[in-house]
């Protein structure tokens, strides 16, 4: 079973809570908005803790060190493909213009024999919780609900 872990940054603004999400990079998501945004996360194996993986993946996907604030455990969700995602929320502010995303390499177009590098996350933005629910990967919406409950 594949497992991922990530950090969901949040901040308090005049309109309520906001969360930092990244738009999935690569050609498959280029023209999608709904269901194409995620918390910065990545896979890990049996030799690494979920917490360590969440912090490592934050650095790899955003090119910035993870914030040091208190972490709120948001539990796990199972995404449509079967992957289990574990998340923590951390209150912090981050300027999306400062990210330096990691990349991945894939054959594109398929079966062309040509390979290209694509950003893990092609853009990052702050969203209010209602708008975040409209764009986040469906299963990850549970993390938004759990954050809202914790912050009530």
């Amino acid at each position: 079973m594949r497992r991922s872990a990530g950090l969901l940054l949040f901040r308090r603004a005049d309109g309520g809570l906001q969360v930092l999400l990244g738009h999935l990079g690569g050609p498959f998501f280029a023209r999608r908005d709904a269901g194409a945004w995620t918390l910065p996360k990545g896979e890990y194996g049996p030799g690494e803790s979920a917490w360590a993986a969440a912090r490592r993946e934050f650095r790899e996907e955003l090119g910035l060190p993870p914030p040091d604030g208190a972490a709120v455990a948001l539990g796990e969700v199972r995404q449509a493909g079967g992957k289990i995602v574990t998340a923590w929320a951390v209150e912090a502010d981050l300027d999306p213009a400062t990210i330096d995303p990691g990349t991945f390499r894939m054959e594109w177009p398929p079966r062309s024999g040509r390979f290209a590098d694509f950003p893990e996350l092609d853009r990052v933005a702050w969203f209010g919780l209602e708008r975040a629910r409209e764009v986040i990967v469906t299963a990850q919406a549970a993390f938004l609900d759990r954050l809202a409950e914790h912050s009530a």
Side-chain angles (χ1 to χ4, degrees), residues 39-121:
L39 60 108
K41 63 167 184 47
E43 291 188 13
Y44 66 98
E48 184 177 24
S49 73
W51 174 245
R55 294 182 55 79
R56 174 183 51 76
E57 285 293 332
F58 187 93
R59 182 181 296 277
E60 288 179 11
E61 295 210 348
L62 300 182
L64 299 169
D68 289 326
V72 176
L74 298 178
E76 296 180 341
V77 298
R78 181 183 301 271
Q79 295 187 161
K83 181 186 291 184
I84 303 292
V85 179
T86 305
W88 289 265
V90 178
E91 187 169 3
D93 203 358
L94 182 149
D95 180 354
T98 62
I99 70 157
D100 182 20
T103 60
F104 67 95
R105 187 170 197 73
M106 68 178 282
E107 185 177 16
W108 190 258
R111 296 177 293 286
S112 66
R114 291 182 292 181
F115 288 81
D117 291 328
F118 297 96
E120 296 270 356
L121 301 173

Side-chain angles (χ1 to χ4, degrees), residues 5-69:
L7 298 179
L8 180 64
L9 262 57
F10 72 97
R11 66 184 183 185
R12 299 170 199 278
D14 292 337
L17 289 180
Q18 294 182 334
V19 293
L20 185 77
L21 300 177
H23 186 268
L24 295 164
F28 297 121
F29 299 98
R31 292 190 170 98
R32 287 184 53 194
D33 198 42
W37 291 79
T38 181
L39 60 108
K41 63 167 184 47
E43 291 188 13
Y44 66 98
E48 184 177 24
S49 73
W51 174 245
R55 294 182 55 79
R56 174 183 51 76
E57 285 293 332
F58 187 93
R59 182 181 296 277
E60 288 179 11
E61 295 210 348
L62 300 182
L64 299 169
D68 289 326

